[in-house]
Amino acid sequence: MKLIDALQDEHILIDQVLGSFRTYVGRLVDGTADPDDGRRFAAFFTEFAGHFHHDREERVLVDALVTEAELPGDRGPLRAVAQEHAQTEGWLREMMPFLEQRPQSEGDRVRLRALATRYSHALWRHIDAENSVLYPEGVERLRRCGIRELPDRPMNAAEAVAREDGAALLVRYPPVEDGALARGDGCFMCQAYGETCDGLEAEWWTEREWEEFYNW
Ligand SMILES: [Fe+2]
Ligand SMILES: [Fe+2]
């Protein structure tokens, strides 16, 4: 499905820019980062990751899974996706004052570093859950009701600028991988598992899928 291919490509960029953002925040502490780049990172996560990427996930993919595949939107994976989008957008807003102007005090820089770690960890795990569960399982369920493609839209001007700036920031601030974060595929690695979602089998499997499972 072309939309899913596009969303997965966007995940690669968002994943890398999160690592680049962590490098940037680290360099702010020792004074070797350009403070104006904070605004560029903020625009990338707001315009490209939020307004472009999350918007199409919610308004096209999730909408089709609810209306066409008749999956529940008020619990399970679809609720988790919406909640994580809202949560990380809130956390991005918390970082905005530190990104729009250079953090003035040591306390500000320490605070920004903690906020950036929290934000990057959540989005990295969100990307892993979508790549390994939501996208493949969602595509399969849409295929079963005869849907092989979903509509997409081009980036608007602000989103395209944010994407270009994100790619440029990657060069300026080589991405780090955070060894403190355990990443992986499947429901067991998902932030929502055991909290607001009981996992794919409990939330999405039909009687027929359970029957097939037992027969197999
Ligand atoms: Fe998402
Ligand atoms: Fe995503």
Side-chain angles (χ1 to χ4, degrees):
M1 185 181 286
K2 289 194 194 93
L3 175 68
I4 298 295
D5 293 343
L7 291 171
Q8 279 176 325
D9 283 348
E10 291 157 22
H11 276 174
I12 294 170
L13 180 64
I14 295 167
D15 193 316
Q16 290 177 328
V17 175
L18 283 167
S20 177
F21 178 50
R22 294 285 303 279
T23 302
Y24 167 76
V25 170
R27 286 198 194 167
L28 265 184
V29 174
D30 59 26
T32 58
D34 177 354
D36 285 341
D37 286 335
R39 263 184 235 114
R40 293 187 188 102
F41 278 108
F44 176 84
F45 293 122
T46 303
E47 293 294 338
F48 185 76
H51 295 166
F52 185 57
H53 180 85
H54 291 171
D55 175 67
R56 283 147 55 247
E57 284 179 334
E58 289 190 25
R59 295 191 333 148
V60 183
L61 177 61
V62 171
D63 185 65
L65 290 170
V66 171
T67 58
E68 305 295 335
E70 298 183 346
L71 291 166
D74 59 352
R75 62 179 171 82
L78 301 184
R79 180 170 173 234
V81 167
Q83 279 183 326
E84 287 171 15
H85 287 175
Q87 183 183 57
T88 49
E89 278 159 27
W91 288 350
L92 179 59
R93 277 195 298 277
E94 258 185 79
M95 288 192 290
M96 280 300 184
F98 301 105
L99 299 177
E100 284 171 349
Q101 56 186 14
R102 186 174 195 142
Q104 296 297 318
S105 67
E106 175 66 19
D108 281 354
R109 289 190 286 270
V110 169
R111 176 84 181 127
L112 174 60
R113 192 161 53 190
L115 293 174
T117 300
R118 178 177 72 170
Y119 178 75
S120 60
H121 282 191
L123 261 192
W124 272 323
R125 293 186 67 192
H126 179 76
I127 286 171
D128 292 341
E130 289 183 339
N131 282 343
S132 65
V133 180
L134 179 73
Y135 290 177
E137 296 292 337
V139 166
E140 170 59 19
R141 276 152 179 81
L142 289 169
R143 189 193 61 76
R144 283 184 209 163
C145 55
I147 296 173
R148 292 185 180 277
E149 292 295 345
L150 287 172
D152 201 357
R153 69 167 175 86
M155 278 178 267
N156 67 29
E159 292 159 356
V161 168
R163 190 200 177 287
E164 289 311 306
D165 279 353
L169 289 166
L170 277 185
V171 178
R172 198 170 302 167
Y173 305 100
V176 284
E177 280 185 27
D178 188 339
L181 177 68
R183 296 184 66 175
D185 293 343
C187 286
F188 287 104
M189 296 303 291
C190 178
Q191 300 163 98
Y193 186 68
E195 299 289 331
T196 62
C197 180
D198 290 328
L200 192 76
E201 292 84 352
E203 302 285 355
W204 277 13
W205 272 22
T206 60
E207 270 177 40
R208 199 172 140 210
E209 282 175 291
W210 280 110
E211 265 172 38
E212 282 170 0
F213 174 73
Y214 286 123
N215 290 337
W216 180 76

